[in-house]
Amino acid sequence: MEHITLLLAIVVVTALVFDFTNGFHDTANAMATTISTGAMKPKSAVAMSAVLNLVGAFLSVEVAKTISGGIVDEDGIRTEVIFAALVGAILWNLLTWLLGLPSSSSHALFGGLIGAAVMSAGWSSINGGTVVTKVLLPAIAAPLVAGIAAMLATRLTYRINRNVTDPNQRKSTARGYRAGQIASAGLVSLAHGTNDAQKTMGIITLALVTSGVLAPGSNPPLWVIVSAGVAIALGTYLGGWRIIRTMGKGLTDLQPPQGFAAQTSAATVILASSHLGFSLSTTQSCSGAVMGAGLGRKGGVVRWSTATRMFVAWGLTLPAAGLVGAGAEFLTKQGPWGVAATAVILVGGSFAIWVASRREPVDHTNVNDTDGGDEPRGVVTTAMAAVAPPPVGVPAAGLTTTIPAPASAPDDQARPPATV
């Protein structure tokens, strides 16, 4: 009994560590566009996001119930399985943070949980219907819906303001959009706390059920809700500056109207999914909205090399975290020494990633120091540049006139002579 109690305490602490990494990994979801457009100072932005993440954690438990009693079958799942799942999720979160890739913390958690459960009890322990309807389908639909909504909202915004020409009116409009960005960023932060903090609540509740502390189907206790909210808020305040740089400057160059459209669209999708119990990825929703806003502005460009790396990370998250979770579960099945070895791997891997991050540190002082100017030109862009006419008044390089213009006769009244 003492061993189970100690193991349960280790799992709860590890779950809160994952929640902490989720906070700084996903800060970019709410604040990247606000910081990149200058609507808020970096430290003020993450502080506001942290507070609203904490508030959002108390608004609902629907997603927590989906995780604690929906994805895996609680019967036959040992507490060690939860620990192994968290190891896979944390290491993937830290690796993608090091690379500056806005991957899904949610899918890292699901992948680790599925891999560990399969290693422990086989594929029969996974509720495939729940995984498809409440994880995979929202993963595909959320970025598309948020992206299309942000693109349409951006186009509508610029169309409404296309006749504003007075400089004072333009400044006033820009200030209004910056204020709207701050409000919409706060809404995304609130939605993030409502959706993502619950995932840790669900994992801790599942651990309490598997150890016999709670009955199956129980709601998260109050202390679980409070601790999960505090952990994600602290992680958010730390600031995942590497991912903020990618989201704010790496995908596209955003102006305040685009930032407002992107954040409002993403917040709407996230809050609606939380209400329905869909455990979607806030990262994918916000990334899709940012790309949609980039495409919505005339002349806007999405940096597809960065987006492609992000898509690859999305596709690898579930299987990669699942493999690590399965490997960790294989170790924990060997007994106490296996649990200890898994803990050592987690601590050692986390420390190695942190050391690697110190080689090129990114923080609030240099988060906007990149503009994506090294993006290679695509085939379409190059072809359009090749056939585009030169600007008026500038002769095209290498071209000479072959037909001289007719000279005006001195007495031609219809064409006065040129003056020098």
Side-chain angles (χ1 to χ4, degrees), residues 50 89 119 131 189 197 203 241 315 365-366:
M119 176 60 69
V131 172
S189 298
I203 284 293
W241 304 111
T365 62
N366 63 354

Side-chain angles (χ1 to χ4, degrees), residues 78-135:
R78 303 173 302 118
T79 308
E80 289 90 337
V81 175
I82 313 301
F83 178 57
L86 290 167
V87 170
I90 291 172
L91 289 179
W92 183 256
N93 261 4
L94 292 177
L95 178 61
T96 51
W97 163 76
L98 176 66
L99 299 175
L101 294 175
S103 68
S104 170
S105 298
S106 307
H107 289 179
L109 179 60
F110 300 149
L113 183 59
I114 292 171
V118 169
M119 176 60 69
S120 174
W123 287 102
S124 61
S125 63
I126 306 300
N127 297 324
T130 301
V131 172
V132 171
T133 58
K134 293 202 171 184
V135 177

